[in-house]
């Protein structure tokens, strides 16, 4: 039995991860999420009545709250998804990235260290029979950018280029430091770009699907030849599950989809599938500091933990486009902002 604190569980990957976990295990899942613009509780409506799922609205930078949660739910596992996650927003407002992504992670680490009684003399700390573990969900963007050749391995030097990736890299350094200094049992996972159901339509794929469907222009930054290594969110969730159950304490695991695609090619696939006109494509000013290419070497997690991605990009992208087309109400409520009212209608009143 585990009592897992999932932070940021109302976001894109966190909500897919909670769905994955609740469909396989009977662990207790405690979802702590601030419900920023990116948090959508409607993603998890189905689980509201489960007696092993708990939602708490709150901030990962609130130390007292985190301590209370650890005490109340006997937290033995933390999986930290909570973050500001959009590069463009980090360019216009870097400060919140520092607060949530760096300070928030350090607060979680510190509470875990204290509650699990980690100390520098232990190999690593055990308070519960099953052991305890802190997993930091990071990103391949901490490695910076690649040229035409080469892949990111876990040994690639950290070299972040955006305020977002700088904040994630800083958080990773704190996670590493808590392992080295206090023997907190940690893992860091670094994944490539995720796609799939429930992604906020500010990110490339859902934004283009939504715009295309509504005959709006499709803004391509720069020449559109930037390459990302696309990972289906369900494969990513299975990867984190593998790290949780089989990962070696202290290790970093890269998780990638082996699916390198140029942005413009993805947009063309979406246009074709939705039967729209290529004239919707509009080239706009490039993102400052735009990383040219990301691509992950999966060898470590594949060989050591037996994980591999199951989705081909071709299957995954068609399934994803179908999902958004079959869930237009979800998309409309996100775009209109109506999803933000869900928490107050469902939860806030019951806590009065
Ligand atoms: P997201 O933006 O969809 O969700 C983030 C969630 O965190 C939201 O529910 C938000 O309400 C919550 N949150 C924000 N600030 C908080 C705070 N202070 N306290 C508590 N909750 C807070 O992000 P995502 O795409 O699901 O990404 C999840 C994690 O995976 C992030 O750490 C991100 O850096 C990482 N990641 C994402 C991708 C990707 O392609 N989406 C790729 C690599 C790594
Ligand atoms: P994004 O989904 O923001 O993820 P990240 O920046 O973390 O990789 O962007 C993916 C790629 O798509 C990136 O190269 C920027 C590009 N992009 C566009 O060309 N137009 C857009 O409107 C967006 C949101 C992204």
């Amino acid at each position: 039995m585990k009592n897992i604190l999932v932070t940021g569980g109302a976001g894109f990957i966190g909500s897919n991860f909670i769905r994955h976990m609740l469909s396989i295990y009977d662990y207790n899942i405690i979802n702590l999420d601030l419900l920023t613009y990116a948090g959508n509780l409607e993603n998890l409506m189905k689980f509201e009545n489960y007696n092993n799922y708990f939602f708490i609205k709150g901030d990962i930078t609130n130390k007292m709250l985190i301590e209370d949660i650890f005490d109340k739910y006997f937290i033995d596992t933390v999986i930290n998804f909570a973050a500001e996650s959009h590069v463009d927003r980090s360019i216009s407002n870097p400060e919140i990235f520092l607060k949530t992504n760096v300070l928030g992670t350090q607060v979680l680490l510190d509470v875990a260290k204290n509650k699990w009684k980690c100390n520098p003399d232990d190999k690593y700390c055990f308070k519960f029979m099953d052991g305890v573990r802190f997993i930091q969900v990071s990103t391949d963007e901490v490695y910076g950018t690649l040229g035409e050749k080469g892949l990111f391995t876990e040994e690639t030097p950290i070299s972040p280029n955006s305020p977002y990736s700088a904040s994630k890299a800083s958080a990773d350094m704190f996670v590493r430091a808590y392992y080295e200094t206090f023997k907190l049992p940690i893992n860091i996972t670094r994944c490539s770009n995720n796609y799939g159901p429930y992604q906020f339509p500010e990110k490339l794929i859902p934004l283009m699907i939504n715009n295309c469907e509504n005959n709006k222009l499709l803004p391509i930054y720069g020449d559109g030849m930037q390459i990302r290594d696309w990972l289906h969110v369900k494969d990513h969730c299975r990867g984190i599950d593998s790290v949780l159950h089989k990962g070696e304490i202290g290790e970093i695991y890269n998780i990638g989809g082996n699916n390198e695609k140029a942005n413009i090619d993805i947009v063309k696939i979406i246009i074709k599938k939705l039967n729209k006109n290529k004239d919707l494509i509009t080239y706009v000013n490039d993102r400052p500091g735009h990383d040219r290419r990301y691509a992950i070497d999966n060898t470590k997690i594949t060989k050591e933990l037996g994980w591999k991605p199951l989705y081909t990009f071709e299957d995954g992208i068609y399934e994803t486009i179908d999902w958004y087309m079959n869930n237009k109400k979800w998309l409309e409520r996100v775009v209109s902002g109506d999803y933000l009212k869900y928490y107050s209608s469902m939860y806030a009143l019951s806590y009065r």
Side-chain angles (χ1 to χ4, degrees):
M1 191 61 196
K2 289 184 188 296
N3 301 315
I4 306 179
L5 175 60
V6 174
T7 68
F12 164 49
I13 305 175
S15 63
N16 275 285
F17 182 73
I18 290 176
R19 189 168 303 103
H20 167 89
M21 295 299 278
L22 289 174
S23 68
I24 300 185
Y25 307 104
D26 57 6
Y27 301 150
N28 289 319
I29 303 283
I30 297 89
N31 175 11
L32 171 68
D33 196 298
L34 186 58
L35 299 183
T36 66
Y37 79 92
N40 185 350
L41 264 194
E42 291 182 356
N43 297 356
L44 294 165
M45 234 188 287
K46 175 175 163 196
F47 305 108
E48 263 153 25
N49 298 323
Y50 279 41
N51 57 15
N52 61 333
Y53 169 70
F54 308 88
F55 175 73
I56 299 155
K57 183 177 189 292
D59 193 328
I60 57 165
T61 65
N62 181 342
K63 192 167 186 187
M64 270 170 59
L65 172 67
I66 309 294
E67 287 171 340
D68 287 349
I69 293 171
F70 266 69
D71 291 342
K72 182 168 175 199
Y73 295 97
F74 302 100
I75 299 299
D76 52 35
T77 307
V78 177
I79 307 185
N80 183 25
F81 294 92
E84 289 293 334
S85 67
H86 191 37
V87 173
D88 293 333
R89 287 179 191 255
S90 82
I91 294 168
S92 43
N93 181 17
E95 198 177 325
I96 187 68
F97 284 72
L98 198 66
K99 180 170 184 255
T100 297
N101 300 2
V102 187
L103 182 61
T105 301
Q106 187 271 332
V107 166
L108 291 168
L109 289 164
D110 215 51
V111 175
K113 165 186 86 75
N114 293 337
K115 295 293 176 188
W116 295 341
K117 304 199 185 320
C118 299
N119 79 71
D121 300 329
D122 287 342
K123 184 161 181 285
Y124 52 82
C125 57
F126 275 101
K127 184 169 180 237
F128 301 88
M129 290 295 285
D130 270 348
V132 292
R133 195 180 291 241
F134 187 112
I135 298 181
Q136 173 70 2
V137 179
S138 185
T139 167
D140 61 356
E141 300 191 28
V142 301
Y143 297 122
T145 188
L146 289 165
E148 277 178 24
K149 291 211 168 78
L151 300 170
F152 295 133
T153 73
E154 289 79 359
E155 275 74 49
T156 302
I158 300 294
S159 186
N161 292 319
S162 72
Y164 163 68
S165 53
S167 69
K168 294 295 288 185
S170 310
D172 285 10
M173 296 296 98
F174 273 97
V175 176
R176 178 192 147 88
Y178 271 69
Y179 171 66
E180 293 293 338
T181 304
F182 305 111
K183 303 295 178 265
L184 183 75
I186 62 96
N187 291 111
I188 297 172
T189 60
R190 295 185 179 141
C191 65
S192 52
N193 285 59
N194 282 221
Y195 70 104
Y198 301 105
Q199 186 166 31
F200 195 83
E202 64 181 353
K203 305 283 167 60
L204 181 76
I205 289 180
L207 180 128
M208 295 298 171
I209 294 172
N210 184 49
N211 281 17
C212 208
E213 175 58 13
N214 294 300
N215 298 310
K216 288 193 190 157
L217 294 177
L218 308 175
I220 308 280
Y221 301 164
D223 63 1
M225 292 307 292
Q226 301 81 8
I227 289 175
R228 300 293 183 259
D229 174 0
W230 293 93
L231 172 68
H232 195 282
V233 67
K234 288 184 184 164
D235 280 334
H236 183 201
C237 293
R238 289 177 33 256
I240 297 171
D241 183 346
S242 300
V243 173
L244 172 64
H245 290 101
K246 297 190 259 175
E248 183 136 348
I249 296 292
E251 291 296 312
I252 298 168
Y253 295 95
N254 285 352
I255 310 178
N258 297 335
N259 280 311
E260 290 185 52
K261 301 278 175 229
N263 295 337
I264 185 68
D265 293 333
I266 291 182
V267 173
K268 285 181 182 163
I269 292 174
I270 294 170
I271 291 174
K272 194 162 175 213
K273 169 91 170 127
L274 294 179
N275 217 0
K276 300 284 176 172
N277 196 313
K278 278 196 191 141
D279 292 350
L280 289 175
I281 292 175
T282 173
Y283 288 90
V284 298
N285 285 347
D286 207 354
R287 173 190 277 172
H290 199 168
D291 288 334
R292 194 70 183 165
R293 175 170 168 257
Y294 304 143
I296 276 190
D297 181 342
N298 265 336
T299 309
K300 182 173 175 180
I301 188 167
T302 308
K303 286 231 165 97
E304 294 182 12
L305 307 188
W307 173 90
K308 62 173 189 204
L310 298 180
Y311 273 91
T312 62
F313 187 73
E314 288 62 35
D315 289 346
I317 190 71
Y318 286 134
E319 192 186 290
T320 300
I321 297 170
D322 284 341
W323 187 88
Y324 286 95
M325 288 303 99
N326 294 330
N327 289 275
K328 282 190 189 159
K329 227 100 236 89
W330 180 90
L331 204 49
E332 277 165 24
R333 286 177 63 76
V334 172
V335 173
S336 70
D338 281 353
Y339 72 106
L340 293 167
K341 297 177 194 148
Y342 184 75
Y343 171 76
S344 48
S345 66
M346 291 302 290
Y347 283 83
L349 288 175
S350 60
Y351 284 131
R352 275 205 189 138

